[in-house]
Amino acid sequence: MTFLNCNNDSPKCFIRNILTKREQKIADREVELLNVAEAIMAHEGFSGLTMDKLVASCDYSKGTVYNHFSNKEDLFCALCIKSLRIIISQTKRALAFEGTLREQCLALCYVQRLHSQLHPTLFLCVLLAKTPAVQERASVGRLALQSELEQEMTLLVDAMFAKALDEGEIAQASEGHIENLTFTMWSVSFGANALLIGAREAKAIERLNGDKALLFNLNALLDGIGWQPLSQSWDYHATWQRIEKEVFAAEVAALQG
Amino acid sequence: MTFLNCNNDSPKCFIRNILTKREQKIADREVELLNVAEAIMAHEGFSGLTMDKLVASCDYSKGTVYNHFSNKEDLFCALCIKSLRIIISQTKRALAFEGTLREQCLALCYVQRLHSQLHPTLFLCVLLAKTPAVQERASVGRLALQSELEQEMTLLVDAMFAKALDEGEIAQASEGHIENLTFTMWSVSFGANALLIGAREAKAIERLNGDKALLFNLNALLDGIGWQPLSQSWDYHATWQRIEKEVFAAEVAALQG
DNA sequence: ACCTGAACACCGTTCAAGT
DNA sequence: ACCTGAACACCGTTCAAGT
């Protein structure tokens, strides 16, 4: 069972780049299974996604599905990985946005916001995957890949802050540790988006327009670390709209359509 | 079945303050059931908490447990309510902390941090409860109570910001809407704590000391809205430790013991 | 008026038999 | 070397019978 490596504690098949035809077929099937799983989850929520329904909604047997995902937690971990892959690929696009470094930083946050709206359940999988149940039961190979992708994402953000510090755009006082800055931006972005997902129900938030609230947060935070130009001397609402149009027009259209 | 009102769409028994002896007995049993449920969840995670295990771990039958919680999602909603009640009661204690208004704001954030460490799974229930599955299946009465408590919590924080604006401690530019400020603080605090819960696993964060990271976030954010005194002219690490000692010494001891 | 637990449909997981 | 689906243990939920 060659590809059992995928969920039986060796990350081999993830690391190798060139796949045999058989491996390719299996990889394609995994993409298909994850698409089906995401669709079920989108319609019926976390608890609505069952292995039985996944099997019933595809053309493979239980055994085959279990060859891909060693258990249900492993499936959630795979969905978290899918989520991270989307975020990373869009983050790379966002880094090509033309503007000041602080505007690029907004573009990174825009990615999170967009993702939380296009794939709300997938977005929450990243949190779910940190839950003890998933960490204890998912396959070692997949957990390693998850960790690797989180690392990659962190390095992308670290690099952006390093550049901003290097060019003197962030106040000296905040220099301390780049990982503090990365964690800060991540937690603000994550916290706001997670809370906004439940916004319809939570009276405390429903009165707010999500994008405005998030931008308010980001302006306050980035002003707080002294990142030039400050929000009082730059129209970051305009930047936000420019990001939308220039980088993610297609995705926003999908969101509205 | 008098008390079926509790989970059959009338919030009667939650609103009334004076309980008959029978109602009191039922309320006590509910507290007991929730303690058992929390203990199971703490040991075995979200998916480890099953109705079967809850029944097996207490002295009541399935039917009785189902008289309290109309389904599993209703149980999660009840745990979310328990979480909110703890947070609100500690928030009220935090508001009595002697210091500047900005220091009181830190005390409110300290509550969230402490709660996320003392009851990590309960803390995440507040997020879980916003998930469509819970919102669609929990009893109407309990959802109303959840919403009511979120409202109460929001008003407490709103009032603190209103006072700070009133006394001129927050920069004019941030006046806009108080609910923006409340949302900001909530999302930073929530986001950071949620990410820190998974810190052992997430390589991106494990290098950080949680409290330091959170305080860095809060200093940046509160500086960003121009809340006096700014972090450069006040030692908020000392404040953090003062909150720990003067308000939550007992809870911190429980955490370490 | 409330409690009980047997009963049933559904879910997660395995594995002997097949190709 | 991989796929299949029957089989089984466990879980969520109900409800007729009991007190």
Side-chain angles (χ1 to χ4, degrees), chain A residues 122-215:
Chain A
L122 216 53
F123 174 81
L124 288 180
C125 274
V126 178
L127 188 62
L128 187 70
K130 284 188 183 144
T131 271
V134 173
Q135 291 294 320
E136 282 164 18
R137 304 205 62 225
S139 64
V140 174
R142 227 180 283 272
L143 286 173
L145 181 58
Q146 179 202 340
S147 179
E148 209 178 288
L149 290 171
E150 280 178 356
Q151 187 85 8
E152 186 181 345
M153 183 63 199
T154 305
L155 291 179
L156 285 175
V157 184
D158 278 0
M160 181 204 59
F161 278 111
K163 208 169 161 193
L165 284 167
D166 208 46
E167 302 194 3
E169 298 197 1
I170 294 179
Q172 292 289 329
S174 298
E175 273 204 30
H177 296 284
I178 286 179
E179 58 260 34
N180 272 338
L181 294 169
T182 298
F183 175 73
T184 295
M185 206 196 76
W186 195 1
S187 58
V188 172
S189 176
F190 177 82
N193 285 317
L195 293 176
L196 285 169
I197 284 178
R200 272 181 215 164
E201 276 75 35
K203 290 212 173 154
I205 304 171
E206 71 186 353
R207 54 187 166 159
L208 294 172
N209 170 288
D211 281 55
K212 258 178 95 174
L214 178 58
L215 200 49

